Amino acid sequence: QPDSLNLVYKFHKLFKHPVLTFPEIPNSQRCDLRLALLIEEVKEFEDATRCALAKFVSEPLYSGVFKKK
């Protein structure tokens, strides 16, 4: 989508990342950085998903234990 490309362009300009004039395969250092960032995002997603699942499973169990009479 053209709007997505404009947002990426603005992000790169704002954070002083290189903006290429034509498509090219990034060098190995930039590929490593991109991969590290993706891995970090997936790890954060995994942690959040596990926390949400644990909360979903545990809330009904604990609500019965700590219910006021």
Side-chain angles (χ1 to χ4, degrees), residues 19-25 30:
V19 177
L20 306 176
T21 55
F22 58 91
E24 65 180 60
I25 297 174
R30 193 159 179 203

Side-chain angles (χ1 to χ4, degrees), residues 5-23:
L5 295 176
N6 290 330
L7 291 173
V8 171
Y9 173 80
K10 288 177 183 179
F11 177 88
H12 278 73
K13 284 293 191 183
L14 179 66
F15 291 101
K16 297 179 176 51
H17 294 306
V19 177
L20 306 176
T21 55
F22 58 91

Side-chain angles (χ1 to χ4, degrees), residues 7-54:
L7 291 173
V8 171
Y9 173 80
K10 288 177 183 179
F11 177 88
H12 278 73
K13 284 293 191 183
L14 179 66
F15 291 101
K16 297 179 176 51
H17 294 306
V19 177
L20 306 176
T21 55
F22 58 91
E24 65 180 60
I25 297 174
N27 63 31
S28 63
Q29 183 180 13
R30 193 159 179 203
C31 287
D32 289 345
L33 173 61
R34 285 181 172 185
L35 184 57
L37 293 171
L38 286 169
I39 290 169
E40 180 181 351
E41 290 297 321
V42 170
K43 179 69 176 133
E44 289 175 3
F45 175 74
E46 177 188 25
D47 292 346
T49 303
R50 290 183 190 280
C51 287
L53 180 60

